[in-house]
Amino acid sequence: AVATLAAWRIIALRRRLAEVRASARRERESFRSLLQAAPNATVITDLAGRIVEVNAHAEGMLGYARAELVGQPVEMLLAEVHRPRHARHRARLLAEGASTGSLELSAVRADGTELPIELSFSVVDGRSWREPRLVASSLRDLSERRSSGELRRRLAAIVEHTDDAVFSITPAGKLSSWNGGADRLYGYSPGEAIGMPFAALVPADREPDERERLGRVVAGGDVCRYETVHVRHDGRRVDVSVTLSPIRDAAGGVIAASAIARDVTERKRFEGQLQYLADHDALTGLRNRRRFEEDVERELARSRRDRSPGALLTIDLDHFKEVNDSLGHSAGDELIKRTAEILRVRLRETDVLARLGGDEFAALLPGTDAAAAVVVADGLLDALRTERRPGPLDRGGPVTASIGVAFFAGERQLTAAELLSAADIAMYDAKEAGRDRVAAYQGRADEPLHVRTTWPQRIRRALEEERLVLMAQPIIALHGPAEPRHELLVRMVGEEGELIPPGVFLHAAERHDLIREIDLWVLRQAIERLAAEQGAGRAVNLGVNLSTASVADPGFPDVLERELTAAGAEGHGLWLEIRETAAILNVDRARQLASSLRELGCELAVDDFGAGFASFYYLKHLDFDYVKIDSEFVAQLRDNPTNQLVVQSIVDIARGLGKRTIAECVGDRETLELLREIGVDFAQGFALGTPEPLDEVELTLAATLAY
């Protein structure tokens, strides 16, 4: 009986033990389930600091598997520098009996990288595990928060140090923040600016507009971008580009406006200079042909409306070519500038004076009848005769000119081109009558012009009768051998067999839309000669000048390709010159033309480079091959240090872009040597070779400098 009772007790004890074990197992499984369901990474340690359990979040965060962590000291998960701090905190937590505590540390992942974390402690009753106590450590990844804070700090630093003014404005119109850029732009320190009315930055005449814009933005409108004028602390006005944006709270409501202001004073000045250059002649500062024709059109419209009279004068210097040939282009330029001064001071403020090109000027005289216009023209001639020539020009005789006068009074729809053509006819009448005189157009300029033989008719006849000829001028390499190259120059043979220079007829061709026919004729002649040279195995380079009209013509590249194909010529021996002014006025077309030329194997040269303020700005917009330095800088190179600096700058920039430079109008050996020292690649001018008929020129010569 005793044995039976002992057996039953053993069985009961075993059952009880099994129940306890099952209960403990269920508790452990429940604990582990709760641990896995915890939203944060959690690590459970015993009192000695050894890991007894981890959840999946902790495995993912730290990069360890559970089996790699259980039984290991918790310190293995911490950066070494933070281990003592963690141990002190943990010991204090257990000693004081506190239930929670936290600190920020750096954890070390399995791959050795550090991770910023916030570690929160909890004391856990572990009796069901036959442990007096356990410590649960909850780990929260702080990298995003720190990254966000670091990003905010970086953004704040960027805003503070940007060159733009960045500030905020309350709905009441007060400045509420102010960066360093605002300090520099407006001259107010943050202490002075914050709390100040935004209106203090705005001129009185602009304040209503600014108030309206700010009101729209604060009311929840879109971003507002505009240009205006603001006032600095010292009272100076500055042109600014402003962007106003709404600042919203977490609910989406607008609580303020942010403003970004940029000083655009220099850009405005630059744009003004570009506009000035587009409208004015670089040498004299007078209006150029394009702007003058616009002024004439406006005056003609006013004349038709008011029936008021007016007159137009064309003024052409006599024997100007002889001045250039005998004294050089610098003397010619000086004469042009002095002539502009003489004409300017003898005309009224209401009159419009322009340089049409070369030695040709024009004057528009509003409200002037025929008799008064002739008197004005005679006065201009007299002033030119009595004026002493400047510098070396003083050795010659008096300066004379031929002046043509055309009248208008609003009787019919007269165009600027027709009026200029009538004045040109009269001016050539004056030249044919002996020069140094005034001639008025016979009849009125608002009568049909077909009753007279005009330049357009003469040009058309010359094209039909093949009375255009090409001259070739050599371009010399200044630094060793190079393929021979020549620029081709067009001339017209007159009815009496005389050779008419391009300055006489090309302007009329441009005005009457004949210039593209001349361009095409020149191009065909050049390509035929190029094909002949290439067919004979001779390498040459021929340069052809291209008019503004052809640059602007989107169909020109196709014409060029057809002509090359028809002649059987390769494009690599052909380069086209466009004037810098043509590139400025048609920069998009010029860029497209440059791309098309490159595809055909041709090259592009920018002529008269450096005469305009915008020259260096437009270098980056054109894929060119050559820069032809404007003759004004070359002609005065020896005696003008400023010109030397400009030429050196052009050469340095061109070389940096991988392009070559050509100096035109070289008149003497000293200038040539100076150009060589500066680093110019090629030179051209009467001192090196005069233009000769293309049919008579041996194009394989003149490849290198002869002396």
Side-chain angles (χ1 to χ4, degrees):
V2 172
T4 302
L5 181 61
W8 279 108
R9 285 180 178 177
I10 291 172
I11 291 171
L13 286 173
R14 286 177 177 173
R15 287 177 178 173
R16 178 59 181 163
L17 180 60
E19 290 174 357
V20 169
R21 286 176 176 172
S23 175
R25 185 166 56 254
R26 287 194 297 272
E27 288 182 11
R28 282 197 299 272
E29 290 173 353
S30 175
F31 182 80
R32 285 172 180 160
S33 297
L34 290 173
L35 182 63
Q36 295 299 330
N40 295 327
T42 305
V43 178
I44 307 296
T45 61
D46 59 17
L47 294 180
R50 295 198 171 272
I51 299 171
V52 297
E53 192 61 76
V54 296
N55 66 358
H57 289 306
E59 291 179 280
M61 176 186 290
L62 300 171
Y64 286 101
R66 175 182 177 277
E68 296 177 286
L69 294 176
V70 172
Q72 299 297 322
V74 71
E75 283 83 2
M76 70 171 286
L77 300 178
L78 302 177
E80 187 173 352
V81 68
H82 290 161
R83 291 174 184 174
R85 183 161 157 246
H86 169 265
R88 289 194 301 271
H89 195 90
R90 178 186 172 90
R92 186 167 62 251
L93 175 73
L94 295 174
E96 294 175 359
S99 60
T100 61
S102 66
L103 71 161
E104 292 187 6
L105 302 169
S106 291
V108 180
R109 291 170 49 84
D111 60 7
T113 59
E114 292 192 7
L115 180 72
I117 61 169
E118 180 184 60
L119 191 63
S120 300
F121 298 98
S122 297
V123 178
V124 180
D125 186 355
R127 284 176 298 176
S128 63
W129 286 28
R130 300 183 182 181
E131 292 282 353
R133 300 169 94 187
L134 298 174
V135 176
S137 300
S138 178
L139 288 70
R140 186 160 66 92
D141 187 349
L142 297 181
S143 57
E144 183 175 347
R145 190 184 79 181
R146 289 192 180 181
S147 174
S148 240
E150 180 64 22
L151 179 60
R152 284 194 295 272
R153 285 192 293 274
R154 289 182 181 180
L155 287 175
I158 290 171
V159 169
E160 178 60 27
H161 296 98
T162 182
D163 287 337
D164 292 339
V166 181
F167 52 93
S168 56
I169 311 164
T170 68
K174 301 287 187 180
L175 300 175
S176 53
S177 68
W178 194 255
N179 78 331
D183 187 347
R184 292 186 290 276
L185 176 58
Y186 294 102
Y188 291 97
S189 68
E192 295 171 313
I194 294 176
M196 187 174 72
F198 175 50
L201 306 179
V202 182
D205 59 324
R206 306 289 180 104
E207 188 175 343
D209 292 336
E210 291 278 27
R211 191 186 310 115
E212 188 271 335
R213 294 185 189 107
L214 179 60
R216 279 193 285 116
V217 171
V218 171
D222 295 329
V223 174
C224 184
R225 296 180 177 86
Y226 58 96
E227 290 189 357
T228 185
V229 174
H230 280 176
V231 180
R232 285 174 44 84
H233 191 4
D234 58 11
R236 182 166 62 86
R237 294 163 73 103
V238 291
D239 293 300
V240 290
S241 170
V242 181
T243 301
L244 281 180
S245 308
I247 300 175
R248 302 180 186 274
D249 59 17
V254 178
I255 57 174
S258 71
I260 302 175
R262 174 173 296 178
D263 187 349
V264 294
T265 304
E266 191 64 21
R267 195 200 78 199
K268 288 284 189 181
R269 184 182 68 82
F270 179 70
E271 289 175 350
Q273 289 174 320
L274 281 180
Q275 185 59 52
Y276 179 87
L277 288 167
D279 291 340
H280 293 79
D281 170 59
L283 183 62
T284 63
L286 300 178
R287 280 173 167 78
N288 59 20
R289 177 184 292 274
R290 184 191 64 80
R291 175 60 187 276
F292 182 71
E293 289 182 353
E294 291 177 358
D295 292 336
V296 173
E297 292 288 4
R298 280 193 291 270
E299 183 57 29
L300 288 173
R302 191 185 70 81
S303 174
R304 286 191 295 272
R305 185 179 63 251
D306 301 340
R307 296 295 182 186
S308 58
L312 187 145
L313 315 181
T314 55
I315 307 154
D316 193 87
L317 296 181
D318 297 329
H319 307 295
F320 180 72
K321 184 176 184 299
E322 286 78 357
V323 173
N324 271 339
D325 290 347
S326 60
L327 299 176
H329 285 271
S330 59
D333 288 347
E334 192 62 35
L335 177 56
I336 292 295
K337 289 189 287 187
R338 185 60 188 143
T339 299
E341 293 171 8
I342 295 168
L343 298 175
R344 186 188 289 116
V345 299
R346 283 160 179 80
L347 292 172
R348 302 169 300 179
E349 288 187 5
T350 55
D351 298 332
V352 181
L353 180 63
R355 182 188 179 202
L356 302 183
D359 60 334
E360 186 180 2
F361 297 84
L364 176 65
L365 313 178
T368 305
D369 60 22
V374 172
V375 170
V376 171
D378 284 333
L380 295 177
L381 276 188
D382 186 59
L384 290 171
R385 291 190 202 101
T386 57
E387 182 70 24
R388 288 177 61 84
R389 294 191 178 198
L393 294 168
D394 193 42
R395 297 195 297 270
V399 176
T400 64
S402 301
I403 300 181
V405 186
F407 314 108
F408 58 92
E411 285 86 350
R412 75 173 188 82
Q413 189 74 24
L414 179 68
T415 67
E418 289 173 328
L419 187 63
L420 278 164
S421 181
D424 275 349
I425 291 170
M427 184 266 290
Y428 280 103
D429 284 344
K431 284 193 178 294
E432 291 172 6
R435 296 183 172 86
D436 190 22
R437 64 194 65 217
V438 176
Y441 179 73
Q442 297 304 309
R444 301 184 62 83
D446 50 12
E447 293 173 351
L449 299 181
H450 66 269
V451 298
R452 297 287 307 268
T453 300
T454 64
W455 270 111
Q457 291 171 330
R458 297 178 67 180
I459 293 169
R460 288 190 184 96
R461 268 210 308 268
L463 285 165
E464 292 168 0
E465 298 170 5
E466 298 186 353
R467 283 191 286 104
L468 294 179
V469 296
L470 280 183
M471 313 291 281
Q473 186 176 27
I475 297 176
I476 307 302
L478 300 185
H479 304 281
E483 288 184 355
R485 60 191 64 238
H486 292 73
E487 180 180 358
L488 303 186
L489 308 167
V490 67
R491 303 286 189 266
M492 180 191 290
V493 179
E495 288 83 350
E496 304 300 323
E498 73 279 15
L499 209 57
I500 302 174
V504 174
F505 65 91
L506 286 185
H507 296 311
E510 289 176 345
R511 284 202 301 271
H512 296 279
D513 201 24
L514 293 169
I515 191 65
R516 278 179 287 194
E517 292 185 47
I518 295 177
D519 282 352
L520 181 56
W521 183 89
V522 172
L523 192 65
R524 282 175 177 163
Q525 304 304 310
I527 290 175
E528 286 180 8
R529 182 62 184 270
L530 180 65
E533 296 294 333
Q534 291 175 346
R538 294 188 289 267
V540 296
N541 281 272
L542 300 180
V544 172
N545 290 280
L546 204 60
S547 69
T548 302
S550 291
V551 172
D553 181 5
F556 177 79
D558 294 334
V559 172
L560 175 59
E561 184 175 11
R562 284 198 302 269
E563 294 297 328
L564 286 168
T565 302
E570 296 292 335
H572 66 260
L574 182 68
W575 46 282
L576 301 181
E577 291 187 19
I578 63 173
R579 291 194 298 272
E580 182 192 28
T581 51
I584 290 174
L585 294 174
N586 302 278
V587 65
D588 290 332
R589 282 295 315 135
R591 186 163 50 233
Q592 293 167 11
L593 174 63
S595 176
S596 299
L597 291 179
R598 192 161 299 282
E599 291 177 4
L600 294 173
C602 302
E603 294 181 304
L604 178 68
V606 181
D607 200 5
D608 299 331
F609 185 84
F613 177 84
S615 299
F616 293 106
Y617 176 78
Y618 280 97
L619 278 183
K620 66 180 181 180
H621 291 289
L622 288 177
D623 188 10
F624 61 96
D625 300 281
Y626 300 94
V627 169
K628 294 195 75 174
I629 302 168
D630 187 75
S631 60
E632 180 180 354
F633 299 111
V634 177
Q636 303 174 19
L637 191 67
R638 288 181 305 165
D639 306 317
N640 192 320
T642 300
N643 284 8
Q644 294 173 19
L645 288 173
V646 171
V647 173
Q648 184 69 68
S649 299
I650 294 172
V651 170
D652 290 343
I653 292 177
R655 184 178 294 151
L657 295 173
K659 315 303 181 184
R660 289 171 287 182
T661 48
I662 303 172
E664 53 187 355
C665 300
V666 178
D668 54 72
R669 181 169 181 174
E670 290 79 3
T671 299
L672 188 69
E673 292 303 322
L674 186 53
L675 290 168
R676 194 206 303 272
E677 291 176 12
I678 290 174
V680 174
D681 298 298
F682 299 95
Q684 175 183 6
F686 283 1
L688 305 173
T690 59
E692 300 292 341
L694 178 61
D695 293 341
E696 303 173 11
V697 173
E698 180 64 47
L699 295 179
T700 56
L701 300 179
T704 55
L705 191 60
Y707 52 81

